[in-house]
Amino acid sequence: MLSDVEICRNTTLTSISAIAKQAGLLEAEFETQGSHKAKVSLNCLKRLAPNQTGKLVVVTAITPTPLGEGKTVTTIGLAQGLAKLNQSVTACIRQPSMGSVFGVKGGAAGGGYSQVAPMEELNLHLTGDIHAVTAAHNLAAAAIDARIYHEQRLGYDDFEARSGLKALNIDPNRVVWKRVMDHNDRALRMVTVGKNEPGKTINGYEREGGFDISAASELMAILALASDLRDLRQRIGRIVLAYSHAGEPITTEDLQVAGAMAVSMKAAIEPTLMQTLEGVPTLIHAGPFANIAHGNSSIIADNIALKLGDYTVTEGGFGSDMGFEKACNIKAQASGKAPDCAVIVATLRGLKANSTHYNFLPGQPLPESLFVDDHEALVAEFENLKWHINNVNQYGVPAVVAINRFPQDSDAELATLKAMIEALPNQVQVAVSEGFAHGGEGTRELAKKVMAQCAAPSTFRPLYSADQCLEEKLMAVAEVGYGAGSVTLSDVAKQQLQQFKQQGLDDLAVCLAKTPLSISTDGTIKGAPQGFDVPIRELKLCAGAGFVYALCGNVMTMPGLPEKPAFMKLDLDDEGNIVGLS
Amino acid sequence: MLSDVEICRNTTLTSISAIAKQAGLLEAEFETQGSHKAKVSLNCLKRLAPNQTGKLVVVTAITPTPLGEGKTVTTIGLAQGLAKLNQSVTACIRQPSMGSVFGVKGGAAGGGYSQVAPMEELNLHLTGDIHAVTAAHNLAAAAIDARIYHEQRLGYDDFEARSGLKALNIDPNRVVWKRVMDHNDRALRMVTVGKNEPGKTINGYEREGGFDISAASELMAILALASDLRDLRQRIGRIVLAYSHAGEPITTEDLQVAGAMAVSMKAAIEPTLMQTLEGVPTLIHAGPFANIAHGNSSIIADNIALKLGDYTVTEGGFGSDMGFEKACNIKAQASGKAPDCAVIVATLRGLKANSTHYNFLPGQPLPESLFVDDHEALVAEFENLKWHINNVNQYGVPAVVAINRFPQDSDAELATLKAMIEALPNQVQVAVSEGFAHGGEGTRELAKKVMAQCAAPSTFRPLYSADQCLEEKLMAVAEVGYGAGSVTLSDVAKQQLQQFKQQGLDDLAVCLAKTPLSISTDGTIKGAPQGFDVPIRELKLCAGAGFVYALCGNVMTMPGLPEKPAFMKLDLDDEGNIVGLS
């Protein structure tokens, strides 16, 4: 079989104008960016408002291996399969992080015959939305340190007299806004900023800081959750950056930087329209990392797609404990639109690899033994798949398991897995998905089962309601969502919870960051663990995004590069084409 | 008079496709990015090669005040003036830095009726070239720290066995590649990276690092100096990032990151086509900051423009000691095309403000007294203008002084200044330029004088030739270029010079970074100082760009935000339009 990039280059793509018009957009409602990308204006939402709202399908997965189980392949494949069945359909996915593209995972455009094209444009820069988030985020960070510096340098009275601004008296030890970068750069997790040559102060006030990956920026969550540009601007204005020496929160409005941040993100609020290899319109918006971030495609992109056609296929990152949980408890609550069906992606190699019968390392070739029939390994990890089916069902969302077929998969094992799923008591459906090898033709069965499940009446129920207190919400996600036996808050987290309660913030949602490699907070525990503890070490207020962010276990919000990073394969050939991207 | 952004919004722009075709590009040679921007493919250069090469006009200035003297206004105004005289003309300018847009200076699109439009797109993100430079630069930085971490963590032997890569044995104290960010963020000038919680090492190896502004990245200079994508890729591969414990240089090829860096910059190598308010095609390429960087528009953009029409108008940042010096000694040497004429922008307020008769602070309103006739102040600083005229002439480039008129300027003072210039013994020409108030109509006289000067035969002579040693080149720029009496190398700089000589790098050019606010390295010394010392504190090897970079005096390569930054004025109005940008 050809490589992803070869398949992509061998496909004749439709002009993006034609794709936009086929999707139902008017000429004035999009602006092309080259031949294959277009920014979609939010003006279309007003015109489309009277249209019926389509069905929302969320693609999720079993607990994944570090290489991923092909969720994007399945999302794109399913959208193409629905199109083969003459349904009007739009896919909505997140913009890949260059951190991942250059790091471990490589590109995130799907693969084989189920790709968003051109994959090199999707995977690199795209239309600059992540860069805009990064720029806006770091502007606020520069503004904080500059303000601390000038107020300290001049003294509060002189500062006020000279600048005509009110001194904010920011406590340098209580700056809660880090900087961000869209790279996997572990050396930036903890940094000392504002250092000076001995005896000098021109570089500002020395303090401890750090960088997160850009996808973990509160601004990325705001982009994903905002309903329009005005809402974006208002949410940005609610961001708390630091606290004063008197303990008062310092917002972006206090620093007069909220407007400029919104200006930097003005173009980013428009989703980017692309197409799949079979010409299905695909909206790209907001950022990845459903482990350490909100990690779902945007409400704005969904809202456009839901009005353009019968089906909107989107994905929530990682397993159903991660992106799907956030899709239900944060996104659906904000948008008012619940998922009509969940597709749970499972793979033979993922189940077997997670069974602990194999040694499976990212960046290394898969062990050959993984492709030999191994009923025992499959059964060992089947509990994990069952857990995800039950998890989806507890939200009242009907499920279809998509077994994402890899070329080396054996028919016998596929049949075994299918039979095991069909024997379950749930109303779960199952289909082998061959989107990778055959595109939409390979997902017809999956598409039919998704359509059938979407026809069922919705009984959606999130895990918590806004009027519960923050502690109850954290417990709900950990104990009901993950199946934990207990939640242990660190002393710091307890204090923060108390503080947020006093600030009257109990109506916010909660966004938990944890490893995606286990349902628990310990990445080495596979299967369907029960009764484990969820240690919450720290909370962060994201008042603009509308949630309190909880760091669980030893999760880190800035990944690192592995020993042999994906970037080593990348280069330009003699014709200037990109090689080594997958 | 209307504000810049109002003038821009009130102007009906031509579609960028029409501009591109008028300029002489074929449909296949550009890709539109929305209605008003297009990326120009380098393929056009081959087709256009047989065309005659046009005249290259470089706009420079007197020693500027921190607000700038209107060099971009004059560049755009002059291009429009040449078009009024039915000349085929393209302007080539640099992409503005968001650091400046949000910091002190504001936008860099020109102003009044001589602007590149839409100014908000030019000033914010544009087509993402600076972001691509930033991303490529920081990828290499992440790669260095990751490699140090993994080699230290595993030990060299285990590292080699596990990864199949050769251990590089990088000396953490000799990493010469900093990180970059396109913000004015002084707190990042000196940072400690790789910090860990006590007893842990998961964030890597602690070492001292720092950030420059993105425009100062060697990659930006490479973008400006490369002849094509292949040259870009090769130059990137020559970058020295660090030295090993054995003292061997570690390049991007050693880290296998050069290919990925070029991939990240693949789109950035194409200049962005925009238009002036009067529809003159304008190519935007590479980055600003001619004080701390190479700071000229790219050779690629110039090469396209020179083949498209009779006149190419471009600018070199700051005074003629800064961008123009680099245009002659670095850029023209690399491109083989010398400037045919230099335009020296002077303003009454700039000359008077620099005379030290006034107290002039960036971010503060201009003192009223500046607009009262003050012959004495004008005469006091006239020496500075004379210096720049002589400086341009010593390169064998004919000059035209453009007195950039501001609304408050008095006719009497303008006449005085003009007469003083006309009385000079040089072959200098002078014209009052009213591009700001009247667009191309206001620069007809200037355009005519530029055309006349361009007709003179070229006697171009740079200050040094490649075969001189690095020390002689530094002396040439300092003593002949600036008129210094001496050059003092720090001990560090002396060692570095010795080292570069041993490495066989004497054939490189030199790029001096110093304050733009004085011809000397002390920003408080105005006029035309003589006999001063140029202290060089540090040298940096930019083997990919092809020069050794010298830090003079106390110049800093990361600016800081002022007490009341420009971003405070920026916001979105109720219709979502950007307000406060100028």
Side-chain angles (χ1 to χ4, degrees):
Chain A
M1 195 166 149
L2 297 174
S3 72
D4 289 354
V5 70
E6 285 165 338
I7 293 171
C8 192
R9 289 219 185 99
N10 290 347
T11 306
T12 307
L13 299 176
T14 309
S15 84
I16 200 66
S17 305
I19 295 284
K21 286 175 202 161
Q22 276 167 35
L25 292 168
L26 305 180
E27 188 88 44
E29 291 170 346
F30 62 91
E31 260 210 338
T32 60
Q33 309 285 320
S35 312
H36 302 307
K37 295 173 293 195
K39 278 280 191 184
V40 179
S41 164
L42 272 49
N43 292 336
C44 69
L45 280 168
K46 209 171 180 181
R47 179 182 63 83
L48 295 168
N51 287 11
Q52 216 187 329
T53 303
K55 296 291 186 182
L56 180 62
V57 181
V58 179
V59 178
T60 178
I62 57 168
T63 299
T65 61
L67 290 179
E69 304 318 305
K71 210 159 48 260
T72 309
V73 167
T74 309
T75 302
I76 301 307
L78 171 59
Q80 293 183 151
L82 286 163
K84 291 274 180 212
L85 301 176
N86 299 314
Q87 305 301 307
S88 65
V89 54
T90 305
C92 289
I93 66 168
R94 296 159 291 157
Q95 182 184 351
S97 158
M98 300 221 309
S100 301
V101 170
F102 294 132
V104 179
K105 208 174 168 182
Y113 291 90
S114 292
Q115 291 186 56
V116 179
M119 60 94 95
E120 60 264 50
E121 295 193 26
L122 178 70
N123 283 319
L124 299 161
H125 307 303
L126 191 65
T127 49
D129 294 352
I130 294 183
H131 293 318
V133 165
T134 304
H137 187 114
N138 291 331
L139 176 63
I144 298 165
D145 278 307
R147 190 65 169 257
I148 293 171
Y149 168 68
H150 289 300
E151 291 191 14
Q152 300 262 353
R153 181 177 62 93
L154 296 168
Y156 300 127
D157 291 345
D158 265 19
F159 174 80
E160 296 194 349
R162 259 187 79 149
S163 66
L165 302 168
K166 206 181 147 298
L168 294 175
N169 207 342
I170 298 168
D171 182 349
N173 297 317
R174 293 193 69 197
V175 174
V176 292
W177 191 252
K178 297 206 279 183
R179 288 175 174 82
V180 296
M181 189 176 277
D182 191 26
H183 281 304
N184 294 3
D185 195 348
R186 68 169 65 70
L188 293 181
R189 285 177 191 148
M190 287 174 63
V191 298
T192 307
V193 300
K195 296 197 75 168
N196 282 283
E197 301 285 358
K200 292 198 175 169
T201 57
I202 52 169
N203 299 343
Y205 190 100
E206 185 173 318
R207 65 174 186 83
E208 302 309 310
F211 284 69
D212 288 335
I213 193 151
S214 297
S217 166
E218 182 178 352
L219 290 176
M220 187 62 88
I222 289 176
L223 182 66
L225 293 167
S227 54
D228 56 28
L229 190 57
R230 191 177 299 213
D231 185 34
L232 179 95
R233 171 64 184 81
Q234 286 169 351
R235 285 172 177 267
I236 289 173
R238 291 200 287 270
I239 294 172
V240 174
L241 300 170
Y243 293 86
S244 70
H245 282 289
E248 295 296 316
I250 307 289
T251 68
T252 54
E253 300 289 9
D254 294 324
L255 271 166
Q256 291 170 247
V257 71
M261 292 166 78
V263 163
S264 173
M265 289 175 67
K266 178 175 161 31
I269 204 169
E270 299 185 339
T272 301
L273 180 69
M274 294 182 77
Q275 63 189 294
T276 74
L277 291 176
E278 297 178 8
V280 173
T282 305
L283 291 171
I284 324 293
H285 210 204
F289 286 103
N291 49 345
I292 54 175
H294 158 274
N296 278 274
S297 180
S298 78
I299 289 177
I300 286 173
D302 283 8
N303 283 350
I304 294 171
L306 287 165
K307 289 295 180 180
L308 286 176
D310 302 329
Y311 291 92
T312 297
V313 185
T314 184
E315 58 173 324
F318 297 111
S320 78
D321 51 324
M322 306 300 306
F324 184 76
E325 180 270 310
K326 288 160 186 161
C328 293
N329 293 314
I330 301 175
K331 182 175 170 182
Q333 299 286 72
S335 69
K337 171 69 186 173
D340 293 289
C341 171
V343 172
I344 303 168
V345 178
T347 59
L348 290 177
R349 69 179 198 176
L351 288 169
K352 288 160 72 182
N354 274 342
S355 70
T356 68
H357 293 212
Y358 300 89
N359 193 9
F360 185 71
L361 288 170
Q364 308 271 344
L366 298 175
E368 274 303 311
S369 53
L370 200 61
F371 306 114
V372 177
D373 279 12
D374 184 349
H375 188 71
E376 224 171 284
L378 208 54
V379 170
E381 196 60 12
F382 187 64
E383 289 305 307
N384 182 269
L385 174 56
K386 260 170 65 183
W387 187 94
H388 286 286
I389 296 168
N390 289 330
N391 184 44
V392 163
N393 285 342
Q394 76 166 336
Y395 289 91
V397 177
V400 180
V401 176
I403 307 175
N404 177 32
R405 182 173 194 157
F406 279 76
Q408 306 99 322
D409 289 353
S410 90
D411 287 331
E413 274 197 337
L414 286 169
T416 306
L417 179 59
K418 213 175 161 188
M420 279 159 61
I421 297 164
E422 281 164 346
L424 290 174
N426 316 51
Q427 296 295 316
V428 68
Q429 298 288 314
V430 58
V432 175
S433 175
E434 305 202 42
F436 187 87
H438 303 298
E441 280 300 334
T443 61
R444 278 178 178 266
E445 189 196 349
L446 174 63
K448 279 181 199 157
K449 294 200 166 160
V450 164
M451 286 172 70
Q453 293 289 54
C454 280
S458 174
T459 57
F460 180 70
R461 43 180 189 276
L463 294 186
Y464 55 79
S465 62
D467 56 7
Q468 288 176 270
C469 74
L470 285 168
E471 193 161 3
E472 286 170 338
K473 288 169 187 163
L474 288 169
M475 302 287 274
V477 174
E479 296 186 3
V480 188
Y482 304 158
S486 59
V487 174
T488 305
L489 292 159
S490 71
D491 288 347
V492 171
K494 276 182 201 158
Q495 278 171 21
Q496 290 168 321
L497 208 55
Q498 197 54 37
Q499 184 201 323
F500 297 153
K501 195 180 275 295
Q502 282 164 4
Q503 287 178 255
L505 299 168
D506 258 337
D507 59 333
L508 296 179
V510 294
C511 182
L512 278 69
K514 71 166 187 74
T515 176
L517 301 178
S518 170
I519 292 159
S520 77
T521 57
D522 176 349
T524 65
I525 302 176
K526 302 299 173 184
Q530 279 187 318
F532 53 87
D533 183 57
V534 171
I536 296 181
R537 66 173 205 264
E538 195 184 344
L539 301 176
K540 293 192 178 182
L541 172 62
C542 296
F547 54 66
V548 166
Y549 181 63
L551 294 169
C552 305
N554 56 6
V555 69
M556 281 181 290
T557 48
M558 169 57 97
L561 287 170
E563 294 139 40
K564 200 171 176 179
F567 68 67
M568 288 190 173
K569 291 179 297 183
L570 281 170
D571 211 335
L572 299 170
D573 68 15
D574 284 347
E575 277 73 50
N577 295 312
I578 296 169
V579 292
L581 190 60
S582 62
Chain B
M1 194 167 150
L2 298 174
S3 73
D4 289 354
V5 70
E6 285 165 338
I7 291 171
C8 192
R9 289 218 185 98
N10 290 347
T11 305
T12 308
L13 299 176
T14 308
S15 84
I16 200 66
S17 304
I19 295 284
K21 286 175 203 163
Q22 276 166 35
L25 292 168
L26 305 180
E27 188 87 44
E29 292 170 347
F30 63 92
E31 261 209 338
T32 60
Q33 309 285 321
S35 312
H36 303 306
K37 294 173 294 195
K39 277 282 192 183
V40 179
S41 164
L42 271 50
N43 293 335
C44 70
L45 280 168
K46 209 170 180 182
R47 178 183 62 84
L48 296 168
N51 287 12
Q52 216 188 328
T53 302
K55 296 291 185 181
L56 180 62
V57 181
V58 178
V59 178
T60 180
I62 57 167
T63 298
T65 60
L67 290 178
E69 304 317 305
K71 210 160 44 259
T72 309
V73 167
T74 308
T75 301
I76 301 307
L78 170 60
Q80 294 182 150
L82 286 162
K84 291 273 179 211
L85 301 177
N86 299 315
Q87 304 302 306
S88 65
V89 55
T90 305
C92 290
I93 66 168
R94 296 159 291 156
Q95 182 184 350
S97 159
M98 300 223 305
S100 301
V101 171
F102 293 134
V104 178
K105 206 173 168 183
Y113 290 89
S114 291
Q115 291 185 56
V116 179
M119 61 94 94
E120 60 264 51
E121 296 192 28
L122 178 69
N123 283 318
L124 299 162
H125 307 303
L126 191 66
T127 49
D129 294 351
I130 293 182
H131 293 318
V133 166
T134 304
H137 186 114
N138 291 331
L139 176 64
I144 298 164
D145 278 306
R147 190 64 169 257
I148 293 172
Y149 168 68
H150 289 300
E151 291 191 14
Q152 299 261 355
R153 181 176 64 92
L154 297 167
Y156 300 129
D157 290 345
D158 265 18
F159 173 80
E160 295 193 349
R162 260 187 79 148
S163 66
L165 301 168
K166 203 179 148 300
L168 294 175
N169 206 342
I170 298 168
D171 182 349
N173 297 318
R174 292 194 71 196
V175 175
V176 291
W177 191 252
K178 297 207 277 184
R179 289 175 173 81
V180 296
M181 189 177 277
D182 190 26
H183 281 304
N184 293 4
D185 194 348
R186 68 168 67 68
L188 293 181
R189 284 176 193 151
M190 288 174 63
V191 299
T192 308
V193 301
K195 296 198 75 167
N196 282 283
E197 301 284 358
K200 294 197 174 170
T201 56
I202 52 169
N203 298 343
Y205 190 100
E206 185 172 318
R207 66 173 186 84
E208 302 308 311
F211 285 70
D212 288 335
I213 193 152
S214 297
S217 166
E218 182 178 353
L219 290 176
M220 187 62 88
I222 288 176
L223 182 66
L225 293 167
S227 54
D228 56 28
L229 190 57
R230 190 177 298 213
D231 184 34
L232 179 95
R233 171 64 185 82
Q234 287 168 351
R235 284 171 177 267
I236 289 174
R238 290 200 289 270
I239 294 172
V240 174
L241 300 170
Y243 292 87
S244 71
H245 282 290
E248 292 297 316
I250 307 288
T251 67
T252 55
E253 301 289 10
D254 294 324
L255 270 165
Q256 289 170 248
V257 71
M261 293 166 78
V263 163
S264 173
M265 289 175 66
K266 177 175 159 38
I269 204 169
E270 299 185 338
T272 301
L273 180 69
M274 294 182 77
Q275 64 189 293
T276 74
L277 292 176
E278 297 178 10
V280 173
T282 305
L283 291 171
I284 324 292
H285 210 205
F289 287 103
N291 50 345
I292 55 176
H294 157 274
N296 278 274
S297 181
S298 76
I299 288 177
I300 287 174
D302 283 8
N303 283 351
I304 295 172
L306 286 165
K307 289 296 180 179
L308 286 176
D310 303 328
Y311 291 93
T312 297
V313 185
T314 185
E315 57 173 325
F318 297 111
S320 77
D321 50 326
M322 306 299 307
F324 183 77
E325 180 270 310
K326 289 159 185 160
C328 293
N329 293 314
I330 302 174
K331 183 176 170 181
Q333 301 286 73
S335 70
K337 171 68 185 173
D340 294 288
C341 170
V343 172
I344 303 167
V345 178
T347 59
L348 290 178
R349 68 178 198 176
L351 288 170
K352 288 160 72 182
N354 274 343
S355 70
T356 68
H357 293 212
Y358 300 89
N359 192 10
F360 186 70
L361 288 169
Q364 308 270 345
L366 298 175
E368 274 303 311
S369 53
L370 201 60
F371 307 114
V372 177
D373 279 14
D374 184 350
H375 187 71
E376 226 171 283
L378 208 54
V379 170
E381 196 60 12
F382 186 65
E383 289 305 307
N384 182 269
L385 173 56
K386 259 170 68 182
W387 186 94
H388 286 285
I389 295 168
N390 288 331
N391 184 44
V392 163
N393 285 343
Q394 76 167 335
Y395 289 91
V397 177
V400 180
V401 175
I403 306 174
N404 177 32
R405 181 174 194 157
F406 280 77
Q408 306 99 322
D409 288 353
S410 89
D411 287 330
E413 275 197 335
L414 287 168
T416 305
L417 179 58
K418 214 176 160 188
M420 279 157 60
I421 297 164
E422 282 164 345
L424 290 173
N426 316 52
Q427 296 296 315
V428 67
Q429 297 289 314
V430 58
V432 175
S433 174
E434 305 202 41
F436 187 87
H438 303 297
E441 280 301 332
T443 62
R444 277 178 180 265
E445 189 196 349
L446 174 63
K448 279 181 200 157
K449 295 199 166 162
V450 164
M451 287 172 69
Q453 294 288 55
C454 280
S458 173
T459 56
F460 180 70
R461 45 181 187 276
L463 293 186
Y464 55 80
S465 63
D467 57 6
Q468 289 177 270
C469 74
L470 284 168
E471 193 161 4
E472 285 170 338
K473 288 170 187 164
L474 288 169
M475 302 287 274
V477 174
E479 297 185 2
V480 188
Y482 304 159
S486 59
V487 175
T488 305
L489 291 160
S490 72
D491 288 347
V492 171
K494 276 182 202 158
Q495 278 171 22
Q496 290 167 322
L497 207 55
Q498 196 54 37
Q499 185 201 324
F500 298 152
K501 195 180 276 294
Q502 282 164 4
Q503 287 178 257
L505 299 168
D506 258 337
D507 59 333
L508 296 179
V510 294
C511 182
L512 277 70
K514 72 165 186 74
T515 177
L517 301 178
S518 170
I519 293 161
S520 77
T521 58
D522 176 349
T524 64
I525 301 176
K526 302 299 173 184
Q530 278 186 317
F532 52 89
D533 183 58
V534 171
I536 296 182
R537 66 174 204 263
E538 197 184 343
L539 300 176
K540 293 192 179 183
L541 172 61
C542 295
F547 54 66
V548 166
Y549 180 63
L551 294 168
C552 306
N554 57 5
V555 68
M556 280 181 291
T557 49
M558 169 58 96
L561 287 170
E563 294 139 39
K564 200 170 177 180
F567 69 67
M568 288 190 173
K569 290 179 296 182
L570 281 170
D571 212 334
L572 299 170
D573 68 15
D574 285 346
E575 279 72 51
N577 295 312
I578 295 168
V579 292
L581 190 60
S582 62

